[in-house]
């Protein structure tokens, strides 16, 4: 195999492995340690490719690939394992209205805005702050993470107004997190307005899904 083809083939193999593990039909389906194993595989693939791209002759690059794969697998598995544990803890404490998605490299906690806020308001309902405070306690228990609080709206009304409202609502959620002791340095707040829908805005049900605040939990590298 030529030196030019080896990294290309490995990169393709890594991409195929990742696709097989994350499309819901792989061997990890239903495995409680699925994200840990996926993290190990992804880390191994990235580490191997990094080792190859470091240069040298074909023998050196193969050795670099093996070393990189081993290091990457360990780091990826550690991140996946942490996310599995953090997800399980969140599910024990949060209400049924809160959705949690574990992508393998982050947790996405979705809070429906229609429950948290009155129409056109950024004032959080006091009786529904418990879930946000529970997220804050979870973040304190897992301190080695960065948190993004993202506000989203549907496309009804003026886009500029929606952008501002999404920012104010995201900030309101972030204020609860920091009031519970989560350091400001860990929390990034952003309003996305109507630009990132998760469902069609052509139906009431779709618009309801698009009105949301997401708390994205990212393990620090």
């Amino acid at each position: 195999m030529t030196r030019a083809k080896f990294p290309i083939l490995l990169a393709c193999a890594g991409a195929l492995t990742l696709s097989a593990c994350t499309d819901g039909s792989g061997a990890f389906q239903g495995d409680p340690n699925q994200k840990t194993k996926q993290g190990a595989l992804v880390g191994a693939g990235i580490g191997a490719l990094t080792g190859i791209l470091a240069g040298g002759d074909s023998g050196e690059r193969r050795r670099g690939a093996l070393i990189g794969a081993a290091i990457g697998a360990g780091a990826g598995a550690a991140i996946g394992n942490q996310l599995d544990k953090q997800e399980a803890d969140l599910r024990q404490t949060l209400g049924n209205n809160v959705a949690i998605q574990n992508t393998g490299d982050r947790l996405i906690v979705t809070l429906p805005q229609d429950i948290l806020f009155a129409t056109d308001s950024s004032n959080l309902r006091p009786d529904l702050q418990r879930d946000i405070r529970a997220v804050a306690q979870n973040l304190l228990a897992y301190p080695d993470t960065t948190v993004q609080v993202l506000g989203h709206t549907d496309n009804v009304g003026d886009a500029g107004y929606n952008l501002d409202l999404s920012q104010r609502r995201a900030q309101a959620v972030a204020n609860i997190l920091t009031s519970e002791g989560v350091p400001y340095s860990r929390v990034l707040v952003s309003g996305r307005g109507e630009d990132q829908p998760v469902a069609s805005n052509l139906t009431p049900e779709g618009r309801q899904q698009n009105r949301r605040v997401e708390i994205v939990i990212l393990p620090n590298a």
Side-chain angles (χ1 to χ4, degrees):
M1 181 182 300
T2 67
R3 293 174 62 179
K5 291 181 179 179
F6 185 69
I8 296 174
L9 290 176
L10 183 61
C12 292
L16 291 172
T17 300
L18 176 58
S19 174
C21 292
T22 57
D23 66 1
S25 60
F28 295 159
Q29 187 173 9
D31 187 339
N33 297 317
Q34 175 181 359
K35 300 303 180 184
T36 301
K37 294 177 180 178
Q38 286 181 7
L41 279 177
V42 174
I46 294 173
L49 186 57
T50 301
I52 288 172
L53 295 179
D57 59 28
S58 60
E60 290 175 345
R61 287 192 293 172
R62 286 187 176 88
R63 286 192 294 273
L66 291 174
I67 295 172
I71 295 173
I79 290 174
N81 184 57
Q82 174 184 312
L83 288 177
D84 287 339
K85 292 180 178 179
Q86 192 168 6
E87 177 191 8
D89 289 348
L90 281 170
R91 291 191 183 280
Q92 288 182 349
T93 57
L94 295 182
N96 295 329
N97 291 318
V98 180
I100 304 172
Q101 181 184 7
N102 186 341
T103 67
D105 65 345
R106 69 194 63 194
L107 295 177
I108 303 174
V109 180
T110 302
L111 307 164
Q113 287 190 15
D114 289 358
I115 295 175
L116 296 173
F117 304 96
T119 302
D120 292 336
S121 173
S122 59
N123 295 320
L124 278 162
R125 287 177 52 183
D127 58 322
L128 292 174
Q129 295 181 16
R130 186 196 70 84
D131 283 333
I132 302 175
R133 297 185 189 280
V135 173
Q137 295 306 310
N138 180 273
L139 294 174
L140 292 173
Y142 293 87
D144 195 23
T145 56
T146 298
V147 185
Q148 297 176 348
V149 184
L150 310 176
H152 302 271
T153 70
D154 59 28
N155 68 346
V156 176
D158 179 74
Y161 177 84
N162 288 337
L163 181 62
D164 177 71
L165 180 63
S166 70
Q167 177 73 28
R168 288 188 285 119
R169 287 180 167 180
Q171 187 63 61
V173 171
N175 288 344
I176 298 295
L177 298 178
T178 55
S179 72
E180 291 292 305
V182 179
Y184 289 93
S185 59
R186 290 178 59 192
V187 182
L188 306 174
V189 182
S190 177
R192 302 297 173 85
E194 59 190 55
D195 290 342
Q196 296 180 352
V198 293
S200 171
N201 277 308
L202 298 178
T203 66
E205 295 78 13
R207 290 192 293 273
Q208 185 177 39
Q209 292 181 56
N210 291 333
R211 297 188 294 268
R212 68 199 190 278
V213 173
E214 294 174 337
I215 301 174
V216 182
I217 303 170
L218 297 159
N220 295 332

